Amino acid sequence: MRRFHLHPLAVEDALSAHQIPKLEVYGSELFIVARTAQAKGDRILYGETHVFLGPNYVITIRHGSARAHTQLRAQLEASPHQLSHGPDFILHGVLDFIVDGYIPIIDAIEDKVLEMEQVALDSFLSRDDITRLFQLRRELVKFSRVLGPMEELCVKLQSLDLPCIDREVRPYFRDVADHVRRVASRAAGLRDILASVFEVSNLLEQQRQGVITRKLAAWAAILATPTAVAGIYGMNFEHMPELRWTYGYPAVLALIVAICIGLYVTFKRTRWL
């Protein structure tokens, strides 16, 4: 802090986590907060990278970020020409490294969403599937809350006249902002797909219940015929001439069978059975 003359307020923010992505100017020094993300199952875990940018130095402080900057440092050191632009190019490398970490996350969520969409079309979503659907939707909402401020941060670095940021490096920040914008657009699209998956699942469930209801009504109508005829002959009326008719019993059975077959064929044609 004393060696680089860092502003006390910026140091205080850097020592505490749970900051939103932001850009603050302290004289000739910039203080940037960027949010990192990492997928773990169906959840997204977040961290923070705080960056102090001065005329001839870059200081990064990480909170909860599992991705080491070793690979990034090697890439930057392998491009001395680009490093000659100054510390602002290193800042671009850090932000680009963070934003590139968003892409595998949105790819993994997209695969899971498409999988659930196929499950909803092939069968019916179980309670666990619906719980997972809302879990993914909740994670996408949280992710969007990070992507919005990150895009604003990159736009400021691209468009504002800031200390330690050369005009030649601004297009690089525009490229990072475009990457964030594309990820945000994909996240919004996946939220819409999840909503449609839930609606389609409800429609298919209602359709299935309607089919079952029609089948039960059709079989009830078919079974009502022998029940009604048997009920009439079970009343034991005194005057029932057909009881003394030799062919009365088989005729009644034939009538019952004919009516039942006729109803079955009718319901089959109307696709109730």
Side-chain angles (χ1 to χ4, degrees):
M1 173 178 176
R2 295 177 180 176
R3 180 177 178 181
F4 294 99
H5 304 288
L6 304 180
H7 197 281
L9 292 178
V11 173
E12 182 180 352
D13 286 344
L15 294 178
S16 60
H18 307 294
Q19 301 280 337
I20 62 173
K22 63 180 181 178
L23 167 65
E24 294 180 347
V25 181
Y26 295 97
S28 60
E29 169 191 299
L30 295 181
F31 177 66
I32 297 104
V33 176
R35 294 298 298 272
T36 61
Q38 177 186 4
K40 186 177 182 181
D42 289 341
R43 297 190 59 191
I44 302 177
L45 304 180
Y46 298 98
E48 299 174 22
T49 297
H50 300 181
V51 183
F52 290 93
L53 182 69
N56 55 3
Y57 63 86
V58 175
I59 302 174
T60 61
I61 301 175
R62 292 185 294 136
H63 295 276
S65 176
R67 295 180 67 200
H69 291 174
T70 306
Q71 181 181 0
L72 172 62
R73 181 172 180 175
Q75 292 175 353
L76 292 173
E77 292 177 347
S79 304
H81 174 70
Q82 293 177 332
L83 282 178
S84 63
H85 289 293
D88 48 357
F89 187 81
I90 299 177
L91 173 63
H92 159 262
V94 172
L95 294 179
D96 188 56
F97 179 77
I98 292 174
V99 172
D100 284 346
Y102 297 162
I103 298 176
I105 296 175
I106 203 70
D107 287 341
I109 294 178
E110 185 176 34
D111 291 340
K112 295 173 183 177
V113 170
L114 295 178
E115 178 186 348
M116 295 193 68
E117 184 180 38
Q118 191 62 44
V119 170
L121 293 176
D122 293 341
S123 57
F124 299 98
L125 296 180
S126 64
R127 183 179 180 86
D128 291 338
D129 291 332
I130 294 175
T131 301
R132 188 185 183 195
L133 185 149
F134 280 98
Q135 173 69 28
L136 289 174
R137 185 176 182 275
R138 184 163 53 248
E139 293 299 324
L140 285 171
V141 170
K142 293 179 181 178
F143 198 26
S144 297
R145 292 176 184 172
V146 171
L147 295 173
M150 281 295 294
E151 181 182 349
E152 294 177 5
L153 169 63
C154 296
V155 170
K156 289 180 180 178
L157 290 169
Q158 163 202 338
S159 57
L160 297 181
D161 187 12
L162 298 170
C164 306
I165 304 295
D166 292 337
R167 290 183 177 274
E168 297 179 358
V169 184
R170 288 184 184 180
Y172 291 95
F173 293 112
R174 181 176 59 216
D175 181 66
V176 178
D178 289 340
H179 290 173
V180 178
R181 196 175 295 113
R182 283 198 291 269
V183 174
S185 176
R186 291 177 63 185
L190 290 177
R191 290 202 308 272
D192 294 338
I193 292 176
L194 285 174
S196 66
V197 167
F198 185 71
E199 292 175 0
V200 168
S201 178
N202 283 338
L203 291 175
L204 293 176
E205 180 65 22
Q206 292 174 8
Q207 183 185 29
R208 184 178 71 90
Q209 292 178 356
V211 171
I212 293 175
T213 301
R214 289 196 298 269
K215 287 184 177 181
L216 291 176
W219 284 113
I222 294 173
L223 294 176
T225 299
T227 302
V229 174
I232 292 174
Y233 284 96
M235 293 181 180
N236 297 320
F237 290 120
E238 183 178 353
H239 301 288
M240 298 181 72
E242 61 272 19
L243 294 179
R244 296 183 178 86
W245 182 34
T246 303
Y247 301 103
Y249 181 72
V252 170
L253 291 180
L255 178 64
I256 292 175
V257 171
I259 294 175
C260 290
I261 292 175
L263 289 174
Y264 180 83
V265 172
T266 301
F267 288 131
K268 199 71 174 179
R269 287 178 178 177
T270 57
R271 296 183 179 180
W272 278 44
L273 288 175

